Amino acid sequence: MISRHRLLITDRFDAQALAHLQAHPRLDVKVSATPLPTTDELLGTQALLIRSRTKITTELLAQAPDLQVIITSTSGFDHIDLQATTARKIDVMFTPDANSASAAELTWALVLACARRLPEAGRAIKAGDWARERLIGHELEGKTYGIIGLGRIGRKVARFAQAFGMTVLAYDPYCEDAHFQQAGATRSGLDELLRQADVVSLHVPLTPETRPLLHAAHLTLMSPHAILVNTSRGQAIDENALIEALQDRRLGAVGLDVFAREPLTRSSQLLAFPHVVLSPHLGATTMAAFTKSSREAAEKAIAYLERKEIRDRLPGDAPWLTRGFQKTRD
Ligand code: NAD
């Protein structure tokens, strides 16, 4: 009799990818009712397929003594305690390419919504106010776009900015010159980028170094007409400092898909500003990204089971991650 591996899926997963896993003769696939698997579900589980709502902590790992591999169908990975998984010698993989197009497109949706004040315009017209004279927007052609974090998403955002006729600056101390060239971006220091850019967007992973990356002092460098967009992680910007800058009208408009605490509470001061455009962490929420990330995760699970093959391992050898680890230990 062939031995079967127990694989537990803890979050939403594409039906076809699920069927593909269920058809594998050496997999015993279970689906957890919620993103928080129970002790009973974790016991005997060798492989976990998760998304960001399943937090991998030392406590969870203690309930999963047989766990060998975790695959997250996401490009972010701050929901996984990588020091804990490394200590337990559990292999971890992610799907970094599956949702970069969706996240880059949402970034631009927020940029344009900010520049042309679309949420304000929609609210006005629904309230019977034909606010054509009042809602003056910003033209982007000929302006400067500043990208913080020139990885997969940042490079796509750079290409969109060029299509709009913008000059692109980027800050990424870990990125090679070749990537800047490919993206058509000029390398910049962080302060210089914040001073010069008309639009700034963040595309950094959450690491000890980027928690937060933008402090109060950084926000004072920006033009009072600038648009700031964050689709990376809420904690990459000091949110209290951001609220103060908005109260003092030191920023033109802000687009946020991510927040220091999610879900954003009804009492958040961010809800009060007409020039803040909000979305509830929708960067990866498209059918295409969902399908791609689920299928990629399923393929990785099968390749691991059959050949112990590991692609897109976490933690990888990226210098920003290694450095982050050292900082955490300090
Ligand atoms: P990536 O790894 O391809 O790129 C990240 C880039 O950030 C790298 O080039 C790296 O050198 C750079 N970086 C790291 N530390 C830095 C620092 N301190 N200062 C400046 N640059 C730094 O990742 P990606 O696929 O582009 O995704 C970026 C992040 O976006 C993810 O880690 C995730 O947290 C977030 N994300 C959010 C959504 C969403 O739903 N809103 C969707 C996808 C990704």
Side-chain angles (χ1 to χ4, degrees), residues 75-78 94 96-97 99-100 103 106 148-155 171-175 202-207 209-210 213 230-233 257-258 281-285 320-321:
S75 59
F77 47 82
D78 41 284
F94 68 148
D97 295 304
N99 59 27
S100 53
L106 184 81
I148 301 177
L150 196 62
R152 295 172 183 84
I153 299 170
R155 292 198 291 273
Y171 167 70
D172 189 330
Y174 303 108
C175 186
L202 278 91
H203 309 287
V204 287
L206 194 61
T207 66
E209 235 182 22
T210 62
L213 185 62
N230 188 11
T231 56
S232 64
R233 284 292 180 265
D257 185 47
V258 287
H281 204 141
L282 293 181
T285 311
W320 42 268
L321 197 51

mmCIF file of all heavy atoms in Angstrom, residues 75-78 94 96-97 99-100 103 106 148-155 171-175 202-207 209-210 213 230-233 257-258 281-285 320-321, ligand 1:
data_model
loop_
_atom_site.group_PDB
_atom_site.id
_atom_site.type_symbol
_atom_site.label_atom_id
_atom_site.label_comp_id
_atom_site.label_asym_id
_atom_site.label_seq_id
_atom_site.Cartn_x
_atom_site.Cartn_y
_atom_site.Cartn_z
ATOM 1 N N SER A 75 2.248 36.584 -2.290
ATOM 2 C CA SER A 75 3.620 37.071 -2.494
ATOM 3 C C SER A 75 4.148 37.711 -1.224
ATOM 4 O O SER A 75 5.348 37.817 -1.026
ATOM 5 C CB SER A 75 3.686 38.047 -3.672
ATOM 6 O OG SER A 75 2.849 39.136 -3.434
ATOM 7 N N GLY A 76 3.251 38.166 -0.332
ATOM 8 C CA GLY A 76 3.689 38.626 0.982
ATOM 9 C C GLY A 76 3.925 37.402 1.863
ATOM 10 O O GLY A 76 3.391 36.314 1.593
ATOM 11 N N PHE A 77 4.736 37.562 2.879
ATOM 12 C CA PHE A 77 5.027 36.397 3.744
ATOM 13 C C PHE A 77 5.181 36.798 5.201
ATOM 14 O O PHE A 77 5.684 36.036 6.015
ATOM 15 C CB PHE A 77 6.297 35.685 3.245
ATOM 16 C CG PHE A 77 7.429 36.618 2.958
ATOM 17 C CD1 PHE A 77 8.237 37.075 3.978
ATOM 18 C CD2 PHE A 77 7.667 37.064 1.669
ATOM 19 C CE1 PHE A 77 9.269 37.954 3.711
ATOM 20 C CE2 PHE A 77 8.695 37.945 1.390
ATOM 21 C CZ PHE A 77 9.499 38.392 2.422
ATOM 22 N N ASP A 78 4.723 38.006 5.547
ATOM 23 C CA ASP A 78 4.893 38.457 6.931
ATOM 24 C C ASP A 78 3.904 37.779 7.878
ATOM 25 O O ASP A 78 3.943 38.017 9.083
ATOM 26 C CB ASP A 78 4.779 39.991 7.009
ATOM 27 C CG ASP A 78 3.675 40.533 6.124
ATOM 28 O OD1 ASP A 78 3.871 40.590 4.898
ATOM 29 O OD2 ASP A 78 2.603 40.863 6.661
ATOM 30 N N PHE A 94 6.508 30.250 -1.405
ATOM 31 C CA PHE A 94 5.441 31.199 -1.693
ATOM 32 C C PHE A 94 5.242 31.305 -3.200
ATOM 33 O O PHE A 94 5.930 30.603 -3.959
ATOM 34 C CB PHE A 94 5.690 32.553 -1.021
ATOM 35 C CG PHE A 94 6.851 33.394 -1.521
ATOM 36 C CD1 PHE A 94 6.769 34.781 -1.496
ATOM 37 C CD2 PHE A 94 8.020 32.832 -2.001
ATOM 38 C CE1 PHE A 94 7.812 35.583 -1.930
ATOM 39 C CE2 PHE A 94 9.072 33.626 -2.439
ATOM 40 C CZ PHE A 94 8.962 35.000 -2.404
ATOM 41 N N PRO A 96 5.421 34.168 -5.576
ATOM 42 C CA PRO A 96 5.673 35.605 -5.735
ATOM 43 C C PRO A 96 5.258 36.191 -7.077
ATOM 44 O O PRO A 96 5.044 37.400 -7.163
ATOM 45 C CB PRO A 96 7.189 35.714 -5.539
ATOM 46 C CG PRO A 96 7.716 34.375 -5.904
ATOM 47 C CD PRO A 96 6.670 33.390 -5.504
ATOM 48 N N ASP A 97 5.130 35.340 -8.112
ATOM 49 C CA ASP A 97 4.828 35.913 -9.436
ATOM 50 C C ASP A 97 3.325 35.985 -9.727
ATOM 51 O O ASP A 97 2.906 36.692 -10.633
ATOM 52 C CB ASP A 97 5.493 35.065 -10.538
ATOM 53 C CG ASP A 97 7.002 35.132 -10.422
ATOM 54 O OD1 ASP A 97 7.529 36.249 -10.436
ATOM 55 O OD2 ASP A 97 7.636 34.067 -10.280
ATOM 56 N N ASN A 99 0.557 37.187 -8.337
ATOM 57 C CA ASN A 99 -0.364 38.324 -8.234
ATOM 58 C C ASN A 99 0.283 39.684 -8.468
ATOM 59 O O ASN A 99 -0.321 40.722 -8.180
ATOM 60 C CB ASN A 99 -1.138 38.295 -6.906
ATOM 61 C CG ASN A 99 -0.217 38.325 -5.716
ATOM 62 O OD1 ASN A 99 0.885 38.849 -5.821
ATOM 63 N ND2 ASN A 99 -0.655 37.775 -4.605
ATOM 64 N N SER A 100 1.499 39.690 -9.033
ATOM 65 C CA SER A 100 2.173 40.990 -9.200
ATOM 66 C C SER A 100 1.435 41.880 -10.204
ATOM 67 O O SER A 100 1.351 43.099 -10.011
ATOM 68 C CB SER A 100 3.645 40.808 -9.582
ATOM 69 O OG SER A 100 3.768 39.982 -10.698
ATOM 70 N N ALA A 103 -1.598 43.369 -8.392
ATOM 71 C CA ALA A 103 -1.199 44.377 -7.399
ATOM 72 C C ALA A 103 -0.721 45.663 -8.084
ATOM 73 O O ALA A 103 -1.033 46.776 -7.634
ATOM 74 C CB ALA A 103 -0.109 43.813 -6.491
ATOM 75 N N LEU A 106 -3.812 47.498 -9.364
ATOM 76 C CA LEU A 106 -4.553 48.194 -8.299
ATOM 77 C C LEU A 106 -3.802 49.462 -7.863
ATOM 78 O O LEU A 106 -4.415 50.488 -7.575
ATOM 79 C CB LEU A 106 -4.792 47.300 -7.078
ATOM 80 C CG LEU A 106 -5.642 48.043 -6.046
ATOM 81 C CD1 LEU A 106 -7.122 48.000 -6.394
ATOM 82 C CD2 LEU A 106 -5.412 47.569 -4.642
ATOM 83 N N ILE A 148 9.211 53.042 -4.542
ATOM 84 C CA ILE A 148 10.008 52.556 -3.406
ATOM 85 C C ILE A 148 9.887 51.037 -3.389
ATOM 86 O O ILE A 148 8.817 50.499 -3.112
ATOM 87 C CB ILE A 148 9.507 53.194 -2.088
ATOM 88 C CG1 ILE A 148 9.616 54.718 -2.172
ATOM 89 C CG2 ILE A 148 10.296 52.650 -0.909
ATOM 90 C CD1 ILE A 148 9.086 55.456 -0.953
ATOM 91 N N GLY A 149 10.985 50.361 -3.738
ATOM 92 C CA GLY A 149 10.973 48.894 -3.856
ATOM 93 C C GLY A 149 10.754 48.495 -5.303
ATOM 94 O O GLY A 149 9.620 48.437 -5.774
ATOM 95 N N LEU A 150 11.878 48.243 -6.015
ATOM 96 C CA LEU A 150 11.771 47.986 -7.462
ATOM 97 C C LEU A 150 11.819 46.472 -7.739
ATOM 98 O O LEU A 150 12.651 45.982 -8.486
ATOM 99 C CB LEU A 150 12.899 48.724 -8.199
ATOM 100 C CG LEU A 150 12.739 48.880 -9.719
ATOM 101 C CD1 LEU A 150 11.508 49.686 -10.070
ATOM 102 C CD2 LEU A 150 13.987 49.529 -10.320
ATOM 103 N N GLY A 151 10.908 45.738 -7.098
ATOM 104 C CA GLY A 151 10.828 44.290 -7.332
ATOM 105 C C GLY A 151 9.818 43.997 -8.431
ATOM 106 O O GLY A 151 9.617 44.802 -9.344
ATOM 107 N N ARG A 152 9.149 42.856 -8.300
ATOM 108 C CA ARG A 152 8.203 42.429 -9.350
ATOM 109 C C ARG A 152 7.107 43.468 -9.571
ATOM 110 O O ARG A 152 6.805 43.839 -10.702
ATOM 111 C CB ARG A 152 7.580 41.092 -8.962
ATOM 112 C CG ARG A 152 8.572 39.948 -8.913
ATOM 113 C CD ARG A 152 7.892 38.713 -8.328
ATOM 114 N NE ARG A 152 8.825 37.613 -8.197
ATOM 115 C CZ ARG A 152 9.655 37.451 -7.163
ATOM 116 N NH1 ARG A 152 9.682 38.321 -6.169
ATOM 117 N NH2 ARG A 152 10.476 36.413 -7.119
ATOM 118 N N ILE A 153 6.480 43.903 -8.476
ATOM 119 C CA ILE A 153 5.361 44.851 -8.609
ATOM 120 C C ILE A 153 5.890 46.234 -8.987
ATOM 121 O O ILE A 153 5.369 46.885 -9.902
ATOM 122 C CB ILE A 153 4.534 44.898 -7.299
ATOM 123 C CG1 ILE A 153 3.949 43.513 -7.014
ATOM 124 C CG2 ILE A 153 3.426 45.951 -7.391
ATOM 125 C CD1 ILE A 153 3.323 43.353 -5.634
ATOM 126 N N GLY A 154 6.952 46.666 -8.308
ATOM 127 C CA GLY A 154 7.515 48.000 -8.583
ATOM 128 C C GLY A 154 7.905 48.158 -10.051
ATOM 129 O O GLY A 154 7.670 49.206 -10.660
ATOM 130 N N ARG A 155 8.463 47.107 -10.649
ATOM 131 C CA ARG A 155 8.895 47.213 -12.056
ATOM 132 C C ARG A 155 7.688 47.321 -13.000
ATOM 133 O O ARG A 155 7.733 48.033 -13.988
ATOM 134 C CB ARG A 155 9.774 46.014 -12.437
ATOM 135 C CG ARG A 155 11.120 46.039 -11.721
ATOM 136 C CD ARG A 155 12.139 45.141 -12.395
ATOM 137 N NE ARG A 155 11.844 43.732 -12.256
ATOM 138 C CZ ARG A 155 12.221 42.969 -11.231
ATOM 139 N NH1 ARG A 155 12.907 43.504 -10.239
ATOM 140 N NH2 ARG A 155 11.932 41.692 -11.192
ATOM 141 N N TYR A 171 13.794 53.989 -5.583
ATOM 142 C CA TYR A 171 14.685 53.757 -4.444
ATOM 143 C C TYR A 171 14.624 52.283 -4.090
ATOM 144 O O TYR A 171 13.545 51.764 -3.762
ATOM 145 C CB TYR A 171 14.254 54.605 -3.244
ATOM 146 C CG TYR A 171 14.925 54.174 -1.964
ATOM 147 C CD1 TYR A 171 16.286 54.405 -1.768
ATOM 148 C CD2 TYR A 171 14.210 53.513 -0.966
ATOM 149 C CE1 TYR A 171 16.919 53.982 -0.602
ATOM 150 C CE2 TYR A 171 14.832 53.083 0.197
ATOM 151 C CZ TYR A 171 16.185 53.328 0.374
ATOM 152 O OH TYR A 171 16.809 52.902 1.513
ATOM 153 N N ASP A 172 15.740 51.605 -4.229
ATOM 154 C CA ASP A 172 15.823 50.208 -3.826
ATOM 155 C C ASP A 172 17.301 49.872 -3.677
ATOM 156 O O ASP A 172 17.981 49.561 -4.657
ATOM 157 C CB ASP A 172 15.157 49.291 -4.869
ATOM 158 C CG ASP A 172 15.035 47.840 -4.384
ATOM 159 O OD1 ASP A 172 15.899 47.410 -3.589
ATOM 160 O OD2 ASP A 172 14.088 47.157 -4.800
ATOM 161 N N PRO A 173 17.817 49.954 -2.447
ATOM 162 C CA PRO A 173 19.263 49.738 -2.255
ATOM 163 C C PRO A 173 19.718 48.323 -2.570
ATOM 164 O O PRO A 173 20.910 48.079 -2.710
ATOM 165 C CB PRO A 173 19.478 50.072 -0.772
ATOM 166 C CG PRO A 173 18.139 49.968 -0.137
ATOM 167 C CD PRO A 173 17.121 50.257 -1.188
ATOM 168 N N TYR A 174 18.773 47.379 -2.679
ATOM 169 C CA TYR A 174 19.156 45.981 -2.898
ATOM 170 C C TYR A 174 19.015 45.542 -4.352
ATOM 171 O O TYR A 174 19.300 44.401 -4.677
ATOM 172 C CB TYR A 174 18.299 45.062 -2.023
ATOM 173 C CG TYR A 174 18.420 45.408 -0.564
ATOM 174 C CD1 TYR A 174 17.373 46.015 0.111
ATOM 175 C CD2 TYR A 174 19.600 45.163 0.127
ATOM 176 C CE1 TYR A 174 17.494 46.345 1.448
ATOM 177 C CE2 TYR A 174 19.732 45.494 1.457
ATOM 178 C CZ TYR A 174 18.672 46.086 2.114
ATOM 179 O OH TYR A 174 18.796 46.426 3.424
ATOM 180 N N CYS A 175 18.517 46.431 -5.188
ATOM 181 C CA CYS A 175 18.196 46.041 -6.557
ATOM 182 C C CYS A 175 19.373 46.351 -7.488
ATOM 183 O O CYS A 175 19.994 47.415 -7.383
ATOM 184 C CB CYS A 175 16.946 46.822 -6.950
ATOM 185 S SG CYS A 175 16.273 46.388 -8.510
ATOM 186 N N LEU A 202 4.651 52.590 -2.740
ATOM 187 C CA LEU A 202 5.514 51.650 -1.999
ATOM 188 C C LEU A 202 5.266 50.215 -2.447
ATOM 189 O O LEU A 202 4.104 49.787 -2.522
ATOM 190 C CB LEU A 202 5.215 51.720 -0.506
ATOM 191 C CG LEU A 202 5.867 52.850 0.267
ATOM 192 C CD1 LEU A 202 4.924 54.043 0.267
ATOM 193 C CD2 LEU A 202 6.177 52.432 1.681
ATOM 194 N N HIS A 203 6.375 49.481 -2.664
ATOM 195 C CA HIS A 203 6.289 48.068 -3.090
ATOM 196 C C HIS A 203 7.365 47.237 -2.397
ATOM 197 O O HIS A 203 8.063 46.457 -3.027
ATOM 198 C CB HIS A 203 6.411 47.987 -4.614
ATOM 199 C CG HIS A 203 5.453 48.912 -5.270
ATOM 200 N ND1 HIS A 203 4.103 48.668 -5.302
ATOM 201 C CD2 HIS A 203 5.626 50.134 -5.827
ATOM 202 C CE1 HIS A 203 3.489 49.681 -5.869
ATOM 203 N NE2 HIS A 203 4.390 50.579 -6.204
ATOM 204 N N VAL A 204 7.486 47.460 -1.087
ATOM 205 C CA VAL A 204 8.508 46.738 -0.315
ATOM 206 C C VAL A 204 7.854 45.624 0.495
ATOM 207 O O VAL A 204 6.690 45.735 0.884
ATOM 208 C CB VAL A 204 9.240 47.689 0.662
ATOM 209 C CG1 VAL A 204 10.171 48.618 -0.080
ATOM 210 C CG2 VAL A 204 8.261 48.471 1.524
ATOM 211 N N PRO A 205 8.593 44.549 0.768
ATOM 212 C CA PRO A 205 8.065 43.539 1.686
ATOM 213 C C PRO A 205 8.156 44.082 3.113
ATOM 214 O O PRO A 205 8.920 45.024 3.367
ATOM 215 C CB PRO A 205 9.027 42.363 1.493
ATOM 216 C CG PRO A 205 10.297 42.994 1.022
ATOM 217 C CD PRO A 205 9.939 44.243 0.286
ATOM 218 N N LEU A 206 7.379 43.501 4.003
ATOM 219 C CA LEU A 206 7.462 43.925 5.404
ATOM 220 C C LEU A 206 8.591 43.156 6.079
ATOM 221 O O LEU A 206 8.540 41.934 6.198
ATOM 222 C CB LEU A 206 6.127 43.664 6.108
ATOM 223 C CG LEU A 206 5.963 44.342 7.461
ATOM 224 C CD1 LEU A 206 6.046 45.855 7.336
ATOM 225 C CD2 LEU A 206 4.654 43.945 8.102
ATOM 226 N N THR A 207 9.630 43.889 6.473
ATOM 227 C CA THR A 207 10.782 43.294 7.150
ATOM 228 C C THR A 207 11.091 44.205 8.346
ATOM 229 O O THR A 207 10.541 45.306 8.432
ATOM 230 C CB THR A 207 12.025 43.268 6.225
ATOM 231 O OG1 THR A 207 12.430 44.620 5.966
ATOM 232 C CG2 THR A 207 11.760 42.553 4.912
ATOM 233 N N GLU A 209 13.360 46.086 8.640
ATOM 234 C CA GLU A 209 13.860 47.356 8.103
ATOM 235 C C GLU A 209 12.766 48.254 7.537
ATOM 236 O O GLU A 209 12.929 49.466 7.450
ATOM 237 C CB GLU A 209 14.823 47.027 6.958
ATOM 238 C CG GLU A 209 16.162 47.627 7.116
ATOM 239 C CD GLU A 209 17.020 47.273 5.914
ATOM 240 O OE1 GLU A 209 16.515 46.939 4.832
ATOM 241 O OE2 GLU A 209 18.225 47.331 6.105
ATOM 242 N N THR A 210 11.670 47.658 7.113
ATOM 243 C CA THR A 210 10.604 48.460 6.467
ATOM 244 C C THR A 210 9.412 48.659 7.405
ATOM 245 O O THR A 210 8.362 49.107 6.973
ATOM 246 C CB THR A 210 10.113 47.787 5.175
ATOM 247 O OG1 THR A 210 9.555 46.513 5.494
ATOM 248 C CG2 THR A 210 11.227 47.615 4.166
ATOM 249 N N LEU A 213 9.142 52.026 6.970
ATOM 250 C CA LEU A 213 10.186 52.611 6.125
ATOM 251 C C LEU A 213 10.000 54.133 6.057
ATOM 252 O O LEU A 213 10.946 54.895 6.088
ATOM 253 C CB LEU A 213 10.105 52.007 4.726
ATOM 254 C CG LEU A 213 11.188 52.419 3.733
ATOM 255 C CD1 LEU A 213 12.559 51.981 4.220
ATOM 256 C CD2 LEU A 213 10.924 51.799 2.376
ATOM 257 N N ASN A 230 0.011 53.327 -1.116
ATOM 258 C CA ASN A 230 0.622 52.150 -0.504
ATOM 259 C C ASN A 230 -0.230 50.914 -0.752
ATOM 260 O O ASN A 230 -1.364 50.825 -0.290
ATOM 261 C CB ASN A 230 0.798 52.352 1.010
ATOM 262 C CG ASN A 230 1.605 51.222 1.643
ATOM 263 O OD1 ASN A 230 2.206 50.405 0.930
ATOM 264 N ND2 ASN A 230 1.630 51.170 2.968
ATOM 265 N N THR A 231 0.329 49.986 -1.538
ATOM 266 C CA THR A 231 -0.332 48.678 -1.728
ATOM 267 C C THR A 231 0.585 47.559 -1.218
ATOM 268 O O THR A 231 0.386 46.402 -1.572
ATOM 269 C CB THR A 231 -0.661 48.410 -3.221
ATOM 270 O OG1 THR A 231 0.555 48.505 -3.975
ATOM 271 C CG2 THR A 231 -1.688 49.373 -3.766
ATOM 272 N N SER A 232 1.614 47.913 -0.416
ATOM 273 C CA SER A 232 2.541 46.862 0.033
ATOM 274 C C SER A 232 2.076 46.297 1.371
ATOM 275 O O SER A 232 1.340 45.308 1.396
ATOM 276 C CB SER A 232 3.972 47.402 0.096
ATOM 277 O OG SER A 232 4.100 48.428 1.050
ATOM 278 N N ARG A 233 2.426 46.957 2.463
ATOM 279 C CA ARG A 233 1.931 46.582 3.783
ATOM 280 C C ARG A 233 1.726 47.864 4.591
ATOM 281 O O ARG A 233 2.549 48.787 4.522
ATOM 282 C CB ARG A 233 2.948 45.680 4.518
ATOM 283 C CG ARG A 233 2.980 44.251 4.012
ATOM 284 C CD ARG A 233 1.694 43.486 4.348
ATOM 285 N NE ARG A 233 1.691 42.115 3.868
ATOM 286 C CZ ARG A 233 1.162 41.695 2.727
ATOM 287 N NH1 ARG A 233 0.600 42.560 1.894
ATOM 288 N NH2 ARG A 233 1.169 40.427 2.396
ATOM 289 N N ASP A 257 -4.334 50.643 0.188
ATOM 290 C CA ASP A 257 -4.964 49.329 0.104
ATOM 291 C C ASP A 257 -4.663 48.513 1.365
ATOM 292 O O ASP A 257 -5.279 47.485 1.601
ATOM 293 C CB ASP A 257 -4.425 48.577 -1.131
ATOM 294 C CG ASP A 257 -5.118 47.238 -1.353
ATOM 295 O OD1 ASP A 257 -6.369 47.204 -1.301
ATOM 296 O OD2 ASP A 257 -4.426 46.230 -1.575
ATOM 297 N N VAL A 258 -3.674 48.990 2.125
ATOM 298 C CA VAL A 258 -3.190 48.226 3.283
ATOM 299 C C VAL A 258 -3.052 49.161 4.473
ATOM 300 O O VAL A 258 -2.809 50.359 4.318
ATOM 301 C CB VAL A 258 -1.836 47.554 2.945
ATOM 302 C CG1 VAL A 258 -2.016 46.393 2.006
ATOM 303 C CG2 VAL A 258 -0.859 48.569 2.353
ATOM 304 N N HIS A 281 -7.566 45.935 1.144
ATOM 305 C CA HIS A 281 -6.514 44.944 0.824
ATOM 306 C C HIS A 281 -6.921 44.095 -0.388
ATOM 307 O O HIS A 281 -7.000 42.863 -0.305
ATOM 308 C CB HIS A 281 -6.201 44.063 2.040
ATOM 309 C CG HIS A 281 -4.832 43.472 1.981
ATOM 310 N ND1 HIS A 281 -4.010 43.345 3.082
ATOM 311 C CD2 HIS A 281 -4.112 42.979 0.938
ATOM 312 C CE1 HIS A 281 -2.869 42.777 2.708
ATOM 313 N NE2 HIS A 281 -2.908 42.552 1.409
ATOM 314 N N LEU A 282 -7.143 44.782 -1.491
ATOM 315 C CA LEU A 282 -7.636 44.109 -2.705
ATOM 316 C C LEU A 282 -6.550 43.816 -3.733
ATOM 317 O O LEU A 282 -6.865 43.367 -4.832
ATOM 318 C CB LEU A 282 -8.696 45.001 -3.386
ATOM 319 C CG LEU A 282 -10.014 45.234 -2.663
ATOM 320 C CD1 LEU A 282 -10.936 46.115 -3.508
ATOM 321 C CD2 LEU A 282 -10.701 43.901 -2.378
ATOM 322 N N GLY A 283 -5.281 44.115 -3.376
ATOM 323 C CA GLY A 283 -4.205 44.014 -4.374
ATOM 324 C C GLY A 283 -4.209 42.716 -5.163
ATOM 325 O O GLY A 283 -4.049 42.709 -6.377
ATOM 326 N N ALA A 284 -4.411 41.607 -4.456
ATOM 327 C CA ALA A 284 -4.349 40.298 -5.135
ATOM 328 C C ALA A 284 -5.739 39.756 -5.431
ATOM 329 O O ALA A 284 -5.872 38.605 -5.851
ATOM 330 C CB ALA A 284 -3.589 39.313 -4.254
ATOM 331 N N THR A 285 -6.772 40.573 -5.207
ATOM 332 C CA THR A 285 -8.129 40.056 -5.326
ATOM 333 C C THR A 285 -8.675 40.219 -6.742
ATOM 334 O O THR A 285 -9.467 41.110 -7.031
ATOM 335 C CB THR A 285 -9.052 40.735 -4.274
ATOM 336 O OG1 THR A 285 -8.398 40.654 -3.011
ATOM 337 C CG2 THR A 285 -10.401 40.056 -4.185
ATOM 338 N N TRP A 320 18.070 41.787 1.739
ATOM 339 C CA TRP A 320 17.194 42.531 2.651
ATOM 340 C C TRP A 320 16.542 41.620 3.666
ATOM 341 O O TRP A 320 16.250 42.008 4.781
ATOM 342 C CB TRP A 320 16.129 43.338 1.893
ATOM 343 C CG TRP A 320 15.480 42.643 0.736
ATOM 344 C CD1 TRP A 320 15.879 42.687 -0.569
ATOM 345 C CD2 TRP A 320 14.333 41.793 0.765
ATOM 346 N NE1 TRP A 320 15.048 41.920 -1.350
ATOM 347 C CE2 TRP A 320 14.092 41.374 -0.563
ATOM 348 C CE3 TRP A 320 13.481 41.352 1.775
ATOM 349 C CZ2 TRP A 320 13.032 40.531 -0.901
ATOM 350 C CZ3 TRP A 320 12.425 40.523 1.435
ATOM 351 C CH2 TRP A 320 12.220 40.125 0.113
ATOM 352 N N LEU A 321 16.378 40.358 3.289
ATOM 353 C CA LEU A 321 15.751 39.419 4.208
ATOM 354 C C LEU A 321 16.791 38.941 5.226
ATOM 355 O O LEU A 321 16.538 38.891 6.421
ATOM 356 C CB LEU A 321 15.189 38.249 3.402
ATOM 357 C CG LEU A 321 14.183 37.375 4.092
ATOM 358 C CD1 LEU A 321 13.072 38.189 4.705
ATOM 359 C CD2 LEU A 321 13.593 36.399 3.102
HETATM 360 P P1 NAD B 1 9.636 41.557 -4.597
HETATM 361 O O1 NAD B 1 10.367 40.718 -3.605
HETATM 362 O O2 NAD B 1 9.639 41.153 -6.012
HETATM 363 O O3 NAD B 1 10.173 43.058 -4.518
HETATM 364 C C1 NAD B 1 10.404 43.724 -3.319
HETATM 365 C C2 NAD B 1 11.496 44.741 -3.563
HETATM 366 O O4 NAD B 1 11.651 45.516 -2.357
HETATM 367 C C3 NAD B 1 12.863 44.092 -3.859
HETATM 368 O O5 NAD B 1 13.388 44.609 -5.072
HETATM 369 C C4 NAD B 1 13.730 44.498 -2.660
HETATM 370 O O6 NAD B 1 15.085 44.744 -3.030
HETATM 371 C C5 NAD B 1 13.036 45.768 -2.197
HETATM 372 N N1 NAD B 1 13.333 46.104 -0.799
HETATM 373 C C6 NAD B 1 13.469 45.261 0.253
HETATM 374 N N2 NAD B 1 13.770 45.966 1.354
HETATM 375 C C7 NAD B 1 13.830 47.263 0.986
HETATM 376 C C8 NAD B 1 14.105 48.465 1.692
HETATM 377 N N3 NAD B 1 14.382 48.454 2.988
HETATM 378 N N4 NAD B 1 14.084 49.628 0.999
HETATM 379 C C9 NAD B 1 13.795 49.652 -0.344
HETATM 380 N N5 NAD B 1 13.542 48.541 -1.068
HETATM 381 C C10 NAD B 1 13.546 47.355 -0.402
HETATM 382 O O7 NAD B 1 8.133 41.687 -4.043
HETATM 383 P P2 NAD B 1 6.834 42.124 -4.875
HETATM 384 O O8 NAD B 1 6.237 40.930 -5.508
HETATM 385 O O9 NAD B 1 7.137 43.310 -5.698
HETATM 386 O O10 NAD B 1 5.855 42.492 -3.655
HETATM 387 C C11 NAD B 1 6.190 43.492 -2.712
HETATM 388 C C12 NAD B 1 5.245 43.410 -1.533
HETATM 389 O O11 NAD B 1 3.946 43.812 -1.930
HETATM 390 C C13 NAD B 1 5.032 41.981 -1.001
HETATM 391 O O12 NAD B 1 6.061 41.582 -0.108
HETATM 392 C C14 NAD B 1 3.693 42.089 -0.317
HETATM 393 O O13 NAD B 1 3.869 42.402 1.046
HETATM 394 C C15 NAD B 1 3.013 43.246 -1.032
HETATM 395 N N6 NAD B 1 1.827 42.804 -1.803
HETATM 396 C C16 NAD B 1 0.612 43.295 -1.469
HETATM 397 C C17 NAD B 1 -0.512 42.908 -2.168
HETATM 398 C C18 NAD B 1 -1.878 43.437 -1.808
HETATM 399 O O14 NAD B 1 -2.829 42.679 -1.825
HETATM 400 N N7 NAD B 1 -2.008 44.712 -1.507
HETATM 401 C C19 NAD B 1 -0.405 42.005 -3.240
HETATM 402 C C20 NAD B 1 0.854 41.533 -3.581
HETATM 403 C C21 NAD B 1 1.982 41.937 -2.855
#
